[in-house]
Amino acid sequence: DQQVKQNSPSLSVQEGRISILNCDYTNSMFDYFLWYKKYPAEGPTFLISISSIKDKNEDGRFTVFLNKSAKHLSLHIVPSQPGDSAVYFCAAAPGAQKLVFGQGTRLTINP
Amino acid sequence: ETGVTQSPTHLIKTRGQQVTLRCSSQSGHNTVSWYQQALGQGPQFIFQYYREEENGRGNFPPRFSGLQFPNYSSELNVNALELDDSALYLCASSRPDTYEQYFGPGTRLTVT
């Protein structure tokens, strides 16, 4: 069963605009959520995280929103830059042991 | 600050063989987790090591085993390789009782 889902395999956004990546989860026991970015031939790079007791966390151009009632989180990138083109993974943590990842969304920023 | 390193970068093995992958954790991190990432999928948790003991395991058979050493480096061993074991194997390190894990570049394993 896929406990963390990223339903959009790909997303294309114009440079300077907002990119919004979405993630849904099914397990209400998840208490922490993270976003990672992955370039080809590299490991995932940690971007931003949010605890389940919050509904928003911001770090520079990146903002994560959490809607617990809908079991939904999103990552907003504004303004989008060409270097943001990568695969983005949403991950959820049922504790500090393991991360449960979604399938990823490939973001392409067009000039 | 030294990041997570993994070796080798690429590896080709034959079905039925055994393989050992290695990982050095980031400076200051004493917890190591291993993940398997199949093509087009997100990483899947294999297991985690803390204080040289297994500290959680995902849905992987016993032929996947690991070790952690006193310097916090770690090994992933896979016995009786199967074709489906072909994947990118990622190591991540973290501080204990924290959620953020920091990943190495991975080892690409191909089983023929």
Side-chain angles (χ1 to χ4, degrees):
Chain A
D1 63 337
Q2 190 74 30
Q3 297 186 68
V4 178
K5 294 183 182 180
Q6 294 176 256
N7 292 317
S8 298
S10 63
L11 177 67
S12 185
V13 175
Q14 193 170 3
E15 181 179 357
R17 302 280 189 144
I18 184 171
S19 295
I20 300 176
L21 297 108
N22 294 303
C23 178
D24 297 298
Y25 62 96
T26 58
N27 189 342
S28 57
M29 297 302 290
F30 290 142
D31 55 4
Y32 208 79
F33 302 89
L34 307 91
W35 283 94
Y36 284 83
K37 175 171 75 172
K38 188 177 185 302
Y39 293 121
E42 295 184 13
T45 301
F46 169 70
L47 271 178
I48 191 169
S49 59
I50 187 167
S51 164
S52 60
I53 63 173
K54 296 185 177 181
D55 55 17
K56 177 183 176 180
N57 188 27
E58 190 172 356
D59 184 2
R61 296 186 299 114
F62 302 93
T63 303
V64 56
F65 295 91
L66 175 62
N67 183 333
K68 288 187 292 294
S69 61
K71 294 191 176 67
H72 178 84
L73 66 157
S74 60
L75 174 68
H76 293 208
I77 306 173
V78 55
S80 300
Q81 300 174 353
D84 296 330
S85 294
V87 177
Y88 288 77
F89 290 98
C90 164
Q97 291 178 350
K98 71 174 186 179
L99 299 177
V100 181
F101 283 85
Q103 309 96 305
T105 296
R106 180 176 301 278
L107 175 66
T108 303
I109 306 301
N110 302 307
Chain B
E1 187 176 82
T2 306
V4 178
T5 61
Q6 293 185 243
S7 63
T9 306
H10 296 89
L11 203 52
I12 300 174
K13 289 286 189 177
T14 303
R15 189 171 50 184
Q17 286 187 317
Q18 178 266 343
V19 69
T20 297
L21 310 182
R22 295 178 175 84
C23 170
S24 292
S25 63
Q26 182 169 320
S27 173
H29 291 182
N30 57 10
T31 301
V32 173
S33 304
W34 286 92
Y35 293 81
Q36 180 196 66
Q37 186 179 14
L39 205 59
Q41 300 296 317
Q44 298 283 318
F45 175 72
I46 303 175
F47 43 56
Q48 184 183 84
Y49 277 83
Y50 171 63
R51 290 186 174 178
E52 302 175 52
E53 298 283 337
E54 189 177 285
N55 184 41
R57 187 178 183 94
N59 189 26
F60 281 81
R63 59 189 185 85
F64 285 78
S65 63
L67 284 173
Q68 187 181 31
F69 301 98
N71 66 353
Y72 309 130
S73 66
S74 177
E75 287 182 355
L76 164 65
N77 298 289
V78 187
N79 293 322
L81 283 167
E82 301 177 359
L83 297 179
D84 285 349
D85 295 334
S86 294
L88 180 68
Y89 288 85
L90 294 162
C91 169
S93 72
S94 57
R95 294 187 174 88
D97 297 326
T98 62
Y99 295 93
E100 288 82 3
Q101 297 185 12
Y102 296 85
F103 286 82
T107 294
R108 171 73 62 189
L109 173 65
T110 302
V111 182
T112 62

